Amino acid sequence: MYLTNFFSEKSTYSPRNKKKIRKLIEIICKDQNKSLVFLNCIFCSDNYLLEINRKYLKHNFYTDVITFDHREKENKSIEGDVYISVERVKENAKSYGVKIENELARVIIHGVLHLCGFGDKNKKEKKIMGDKENKYISLYNNI
């Protein structure tokens, strides 16, 4: 069994580079002194993720990624789900002028960083998150 699993909900998307994504997640966890118990990457539609956003976060807007931490208590493990809107990833890739593969890696990195304890609620946190995303995107491109 893989520690990182890939699923689709209301989407037929499946990344071609699963091995590379798994390696990146392992690198992030090791770098952040975390042990990977399990991570589910769930690829879904905009509307599916919008419903999750409304139901669990009380937000009424589209987003590219939502992360759920399944740890029962604060510790050094990673146990969670990262829901990814394939439509948002494709739109963002087009808007930012990057490959879909790189934008997908960025949102997965973002979700994993949340599970590692990083936030993005204020300017300082967003800067730290962005810097770490850029660092790991560079690593990803060299895996």
Side-chain angles (χ1 to χ4, degrees):
M1 183 187 119
Y2 290 108
L3 300 176
T4 301
N5 302 294
F6 301 95
F7 302 99
S8 291
E9 287 289 339
K10 306 293 181 192
S11 171
T12 58
Y13 184 81
S14 181
R16 287 174 283 185
N17 49 348
K18 291 176 184 172
K19 188 174 181 180
K20 192 172 171 181
I21 292 169
R22 285 185 176 109
K23 180 69 176 164
L24 175 67
I25 292 166
E26 288 174 22
I27 290 169
I28 295 169
C29 291
K30 185 175 181 181
D31 199 37
Q32 297 302 318
N33 199 25
K34 301 289 184 183
S35 64
L36 181 60
V37 176
F38 74 88
L39 179 70
N40 296 319
C41 296
I42 302 113
F43 302 100
C44 58
S45 68
D46 262 351
N47 288 331
Y48 189 86
L49 199 53
L50 176 61
E51 286 306 310
I52 289 173
N53 210 6
R54 287 176 177 154
K55 183 175 180 178
Y56 296 102
L57 303 177
K58 309 297 184 225
H59 297 158
N60 192 25
F61 53 82
Y62 292 111
T63 187
D64 51 4
V65 61
I66 295 177
T67 305
F68 291 99
D69 189 340
H70 294 302
R71 294 175 303 171
E72 291 189 18
K73 62 181 184 213
E74 192 70 29
N75 58 34
K76 292 202 175 281
S77 69
I78 298 291
E79 302 174 41
D81 294 333
V82 177
Y83 284 83
I84 300 158
S85 166
V86 176
E87 291 159 276
R88 279 308 92 217
V89 166
K90 289 178 180 177
E91 273 297 309
N92 290 348
K94 188 176 179 183
S95 296
Y96 302 141
V98 298
K99 293 178 184 174
I100 292 170
E101 176 185 351
N102 276 26
E103 183 60 14
L104 176 66
R106 186 191 67 77
V107 297
I108 291 172
I109 291 165
H110 187 89
V112 173
L113 289 172
H114 274 311
L115 292 170
C116 288
F118 294 96
D120 59 1
K121 297 293 184 211
N122 60 46
K123 194 174 182 178
K124 184 180 176 185
E125 287 180 347
K126 285 178 182 176
K127 168 88 169 92
I128 292 167
M129 179 73 83
D131 289 348
K132 290 197 175 295
E133 285 176 10
N134 291 337
K135 170 188 172 180
Y136 292 120
I137 282 287
S138 292
L139 282 173
Y140 175 77
N141 288 326
N142 292 309
I143 292 175

